[in-house]
């Protein structure tokens, strides 16, 4: 296995109900709470929010990198992500993700869609979720 380029480290106590999470470098330090929709007080961050931010940030970076390779400007890409917690039966849950991508500097709908499809093939979050989480991609209002 290749040597990692980077490893993030975090410590969590108390889980999602009344927990606390902190990265080893201290740059992220959050109170973890259940959202109101799940019976919590909503006074903190929840794992789905953290996953949504991480996935969107990673995807936007990959869009820009793939765009550079194709001489397309995707540095102004905006990614709105929605991570949903969905009951899957027998008391279990699964996640679903929707990435709503805006590419203002790429006018051709075909180029936008192809760029998003390619980014989805190589984004580390996309690779980690492929086959496990349903991911819906929308670019400039059109499903990909």
């Amino acid at each position: 296995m290749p040597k990692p380029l980077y490893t993030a480290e975090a410590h969590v106590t108390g889980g999602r109900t009344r927990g606390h999470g902190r990265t080893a470098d201290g740059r992220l330090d959050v109170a973890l709470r259940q959202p109101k929709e799940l019976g919590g007080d909503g006074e903190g961050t929840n794992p789905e929010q953290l996953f949504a931010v991480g996935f969107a940030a990673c995807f936007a970076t990959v869009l820009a990198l793939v765009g550079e390779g194709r001489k397309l400007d995707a540095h102004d890409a905006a990614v709105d992500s929605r991570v949903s917690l969905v009951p899957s039966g027998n008391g279990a849950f699964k996640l679903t993700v929707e990435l709503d991508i805006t590419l203002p500097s790429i006018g051709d709908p075909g180029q936008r869609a192809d760029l998003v499809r390619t980014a989805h093939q190589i984004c580390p979050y996309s690779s980690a979720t492929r086959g496990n989480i349903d991911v819906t991609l929308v670019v400039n209002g059109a499903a990909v």
Side-chain angles (χ1 to χ4, degrees):
M1 181 157 150
K3 181 180 177 187
L5 299 175
Y6 171 74
T7 300
E9 296 179 28
H11 179 75
V12 172
T13 57
R16 69 185 297 134
T17 304
R18 290 221 172 267
H20 183 263
R22 183 178 186 277
T23 57
D25 63 6
R27 293 189 184 270
L28 179 64
D29 192 322
V30 294
L32 299 170
R33 299 293 183 271
Q34 286 276 41
K36 288 182 179 183
E37 297 84 351
L38 296 178
D41 63 15
E43 296 297 319
T45 303
N46 63 67
E48 292 74 29
Q49 290 171 322
L50 295 168
F51 190 75
V53 169
F55 203 150
C58 188
F59 202 87
T61 300
V62 173
L63 282 169
L65 292 172
V66 173
E68 281 178 14
R70 295 180 179 192
K71 308 287 189 243
L72 297 171
D73 183 9
H75 286 86
D76 59 354
V79 180
D80 293 313
S81 60
R82 289 171 205 72
V83 173
S84 299
L85 187 62
V86 180
S88 62
N90 298 327
F93 298 90
K94 67 177 188 170
L95 297 176
T96 63
V97 173
E98 180 179 333
L99 300 179
D100 190 348
I101 301 126
T102 304
L103 291 166
S105 295
I106 302 173
D108 181 84
Q111 284 183 319
R112 288 191 304 248
D114 188 54
L115 181 67
V116 167
R117 280 192 291 272
T118 301
H120 186 50
Q121 289 304 307
I122 62 175
C123 172
Y125 274 70
S126 296
S127 295
T129 61
R130 189 168 291 110
N132 300 308
I133 295 176
D134 293 331
V135 177
T136 302
L137 302 170
V138 176
V139 61
N140 289 39
V144 176

